[in-house]
Amino acid sequence: MSTPDTQRWALTLSYDGSRFYGWQKQAGGVPTVQTALENALAQIAGEAVSTIVAGRTDTGVHATAQVVHFDTAAVRPAQAWIRGVNANLPEGIAVLHAQQAAPEFHARFDAYGRHYRYLLESSPVRSPLLKHRVGWTHLKLDIEPMCRAAALLVGEQDFSSFRAAECQAKSPVKTIYSAEIAYGRGLIRLDLHGNAFLHHMVRNIMGALVYVGSGRLSVEGFAALIRERSRLKAPPTFMPDGLYLTGIDYPESFNIIRPELPQWL
């Protein structure tokens, strides 16, 4: 919670994950989103700033509506935290919205839902214009079984079969509110909405769904994979290129603004 001599601010960010080694600060000067943002915030605040993020993203994973909060004693208008910070950020990241938040607001712990979208190109040759923006497989995919498999993800379940070995989550049990596969504009789209996600969970789900769509794994096999609760028999982790964090759910009382999805996405 912020103190009487500080203000708590909430920012909504968009970034191109292909330019950074994930969200979290790392040793050795590796470019990360958090490092770039905190350096830019410090330029405007005139003091060191520490940020708390709604959900950490991996190397190569993008965001259209990531949320962070920070506390500062600096008194600045909202536009300073947008235009001023953006002027000090490297290419590939931008603050979309800034608002003063309630002192008790917490970007991570108050989030009760997260939205992810994965865009996938299925074609014999990968489009060079879509590299780093869209995942790709040379395999021809059948959407119908992929849709049936995705529906099996809905509900509270143990998702250990889609959990990275280095995942630090206390429990593999998460709740998926919705899981939908669609096709449009030449791309396959996976939309997932859940209360929280394990490390590499979406990419591991995408990898398994590609196996289903290509006939290498049946829908029944996908169901069995969930029941196995083990990565040992699961398909490989899919590439990060097409993965986007597209929204965070917060209680209405905090009035955290979430921008609409970009039309190109």
Side-chain angles (χ1 to χ4, degrees), residues 185-233:
R185 293 183 290 183
L187 299 173
I188 296 169
R189 184 180 71 239
L190 167 66
D191 283 315
L192 291 174
H193 178 203
N195 66 336
F197 290 83
L198 302 167
H199 191 198
H200 287 174
M201 180 172 164
V202 181
R203 291 170 56 192
N204 288 333
I205 287 173
M206 191 74 247
L209 289 173
V210 167
Y211 267 48
V212 172
S214 64
R216 301 176 68 181
L217 181 68
S218 67
V219 176
E220 293 73 21
F222 186 88
L225 177 62
I226 297 175
R227 293 193 299 269
E228 282 286 336
R229 302 177 182 178
S230 171
R231 283 294 296 158
L232 296 179
K233 298 181 180 180

Side-chain angles (χ1 to χ4, degrees), residues 13 43 118 131 148 196 205 215 241:
L13 315 174
Q43 292 296 312
Y118 197 104
K131 189 175 182 181
R148 289 193 285 126
I205 287 173
D241 302 44

Side-chain angles (χ1 to χ4, degrees), residues 10-264:
L11 305 180
T12 302
L13 315 174
S14 179
Y15 50 84
D16 172 2
S18 68
R19 296 172 180 263
F20 302 96
Y21 287 84
W23 161 264
Q24 192 169 9
K25 286 188 292 188
Q26 299 182 38
V30 173
T32 70
V33 179
Q34 185 179 24
T35 298
L37 178 62
E38 291 185 356
N39 288 343
L41 286 169
Q43 292 296 312
I44 302 305
E47 62 183 16
V49 175
S50 296
T51 57
I52 302 294
V53 70
R56 290 180 294 181
T57 50
D58 295 329
T59 300
V61 177
H62 316 295
T64 65
Q66 177 71 277
V67 176
V68 306
H69 83 253
F70 66 93
D71 297 330
T72 180
V75 178
R76 305 284 186 271
Q79 282 301 310
W81 301 121
I82 302 174
R83 296 178 63 182
V85 171
N86 284 342
N88 288 279
L89 285 171
E91 289 187 2
I93 177 173
V95 177
L96 304 179
H97 182 78
Q99 61 188 103
Q100 192 170 345
E104 68 275 14
F105 171 73
H106 196 286
R108 178 185 174 191
F109 296 142
D110 286 320
Y112 65 84
R114 293 162 176 83
H115 300 255
Y116 282 93
R117 172 168 290 184
Y118 197 104
L119 296 180
L120 176 65
E121 177 189 16
S122 171
S123 63
V125 178
R126 185 175 193 175
S127 168
L129 301 180
L130 297 178
K131 189 175 182 181
H132 301 310
R133 303 288 181 271
V134 173
W136 172 72
T137 177
H138 69 279
L139 300 170
K140 185 176 182 180
L141 302 180
D142 186 347
I143 301 298
E144 192 275 333
M146 294 177 70
C147 291
R148 289 193 285 126
L152 299 174
L153 297 167
V154 176
E156 183 182 74
Q157 303 186 67
D158 184 323
F159 288 101
S160 292
S161 293
F162 305 112
R163 180 181 191 175
E166 61 270 30
C167 181
Q168 299 178 358
K170 294 181 180 179
S171 170
V173 177
K174 304 299 176 187
T175 301
I176 298 296
Y177 305 127
S178 64
E180 299 177 352
I181 294 276
Y183 182 82
R185 293 183 290 183
L187 299 173
I188 296 169
R189 184 180 71 239
L190 167 66
D191 283 315
L192 291 174
H193 178 203
N195 66 336
F197 290 83
L198 302 167
H199 191 198
H200 287 174
M201 180 172 164
V202 181
R203 291 170 56 192
N204 288 333
I205 287 173
M206 191 74 247
L209 289 173
V210 167
Y211 267 48
V212 172
S214 64
R216 301 176 68 181
L217 181 68
S218 67
V219 176
E220 293 73 21
F222 186 88
L225 177 62
I226 297 175
R227 293 193 299 269
E228 282 286 336
R229 302 177 182 178
S230 171
R231 283 294 296 158
L232 296 179
K233 298 181 180 180
T237 304
F238 212 66
M239 64 184 69
D241 302 44
L243 183 55
Y244 296 79
L245 173 63
T246 58
I248 310 292
D249 298 329
Y250 291 107
E252 291 186 6
S253 58
F254 289 120
N255 194 32
I256 301 299
I257 304 299
R258 189 170 81 200
E260 293 184 1
L261 279 175
Q263 291 187 352
W264 54 264

